[in-house]
Amino acid sequence: MKKEIEKNILLDFFDGKATMLQRKMIEEWLTEHPENRQLFYQYLDEWESRNPQFVPDDQTALKKFRKLIALKPAAGEPVRELPLRRLKNSMSRLIMAGIAGVTGLLMIAVWVYRDEIRYQSVRSGPGQTIAYRLPDGTGVVLNANSCLKIPRFGFGEESREVQLEGEAEFEVATTADSSRFVVKMGAEYEIEVLGTQFIALSRHDRKQVFLSKGSVKLRLPEGKQLYMKPGNLFKTSDLEEASVVIPDQVEQFSGWKHQLFYFDNTPLSEVARQLEDRFGVRIVIADTTLANRKMGGIYKAKQLDDLLQVLAEMFDAIVIEHNEQQVELRMLKKI
């Protein structure tokens, strides 16, 4: 089959218009080469983008099904045999109803798991960093508890788009056609570059971008745009307005690649947040007095216990309770 014919047949199949012969051809075609399955999902993704929603009329279908199976005679009524043609028609309608139900469930499954079909995910676990190279040659280093989503069927012709949840350093490769490189960070935040090196963070309500080399354009909510220069730090959260500053210690933004923590008169509440981000554990500070206490220094911690030990030695009157669910920090009660 030619490629155009295959595409038309597949699109008809997704629309439920394929004939029995066409369905048989698709089944054989899928078993010929692994590349055919990838093409199948590519066309499925294209079809889904044209038909973004499938809302089955389950109530109407249920009424029709109940009407079809209502063949039991009433009490006292003699049982009559159905004519052969009527029986065949009833069976055909039942079969078609079953096929329609299965097709509906399939379409719902495709809609629910559309992200898994369209994207492959690279994930890092608690306390783990991962180095990864994208198909275009771009180098990525993922911080702990982060996820990078990459198009499963390759980048588009006009841009190379990825999705970031967590924190990562990007060293973007320049392509022959100078296509744009875009990092989507959710909540209408987007980084657009042509060739540069930067660190991006997207966790919960916080967004942060530190530019090392080149230049980037940030797309912000409400259609706003911001251009950054090397050494600029953009940050925002629900608790603070967006701002661009030039930090004194740039090493603090890449220290996580070497399991380092940078604290400069940092409140313990912020220390706890960084530990939560890095090691994926919930940390509770029992009182505000302790949460506002501050610490400074550079510490290397491959595991959570490494830094908890530092806290225990630095704050004499602190009690640290650590279980599988969370870590609780509180002040030691005086007798």
Side-chain angles (χ1 to χ4, degrees), residues 81-271:
E81 293 187 3
L82 293 173
L84 181 60
R85 179 177 298 178
R86 182 180 175 186
L87 179 60
K88 287 182 177 180
N89 290 339
S90 298
M91 291 300 295
S92 297
R93 288 195 294 269
L94 285 171
I95 292 173
M96 292 305 296
I99 293 175
V102 172
T103 303
L105 291 175
L106 176 62
M107 294 306 176
I108 293 174
V110 168
W111 174 248
V112 172
Y113 296 102
R114 61 191 182 281
D115 276 355
E116 286 76 3
I117 294 174
R118 298 173 60 183
Y119 298 97
Q120 58 178 327
S121 298
V122 180
R123 299 180 182 273
S124 57
Q128 177 189 35
T129 58
I130 293 179
Y132 188 82
R133 190 163 297 278
L134 301 179
D136 67 333
T138 294
V140 182
V141 182
L142 280 179
N143 195 357
N145 284 324
S146 300
C147 175
L148 184 69
K149 293 185 178 181
I150 309 163
R152 188 179 297 276
F153 308 112
F155 293 123
E157 296 180 358
E158 298 182 357
S159 64
R160 299 165 284 165
E161 295 187 1
V162 297
Q163 298 181 15
L164 174 65
E165 299 172 5
E167 187 171 17
E169 180 184 62
F170 293 85
E171 189 167 355
V172 181
T174 302
T175 58
D177 57 357
S178 297
S179 61
R180 299 178 305 132
F181 189 90
V182 177
V183 180
K184 293 182 176 295
M185 302 196 298
E188 300 182 80
Y189 286 87
E190 185 178 294
I191 306 171
E192 179 183 333
V193 300
L194 289 175
T196 192
Q197 184 175 355
F198 61 94
I199 295 175
L201 180 144
S202 177
R203 293 190 190 274
H204 310 297
D205 62 333
R206 294 182 296 123
K207 309 295 179 185
Q208 182 173 291
V209 179
F210 176 73
L211 180 61
S212 303
K213 299 178 183 178
S215 61
V216 302
K217 178 173 68 176
L218 299 183
R219 298 183 185 275
L220 310 176
E222 300 178 358
K224 298 179 181 179
Q225 296 184 359
L226 175 67
Y227 292 86
M228 295 179 62
K229 297 179 180 180
N232 286 174
L233 170 68
F234 167 85
K235 58 179 181 178
T236 187
S237 72
D238 286 350
L239 301 178
E240 60 180 348
E241 295 183 358
S243 63
V244 178
V245 298
I246 301 178
D248 295 330
Q249 293 184 334
V250 299
E251 295 84 3
Q252 62 181 303
F253 302 105
S254 60
W256 53 265
K257 294 192 298 180
H258 310 287
Q259 292 85 41
L260 295 178
F261 288 84
Y262 284 76
F263 302 128
D264 182 13
N265 206 28
T266 305
L268 199 56
S269 57
E270 171 64 17
V271 173

Side-chain angles (χ1 to χ4, degrees), residues 55-67:
V55 183
D57 190 353
D58 51 354
Q59 293 299 323
T60 301
L62 183 59
K63 290 179 180 178
K64 290 182 178 180
F65 181 73
R66 286 175 174 172
K67 185 177 181 180

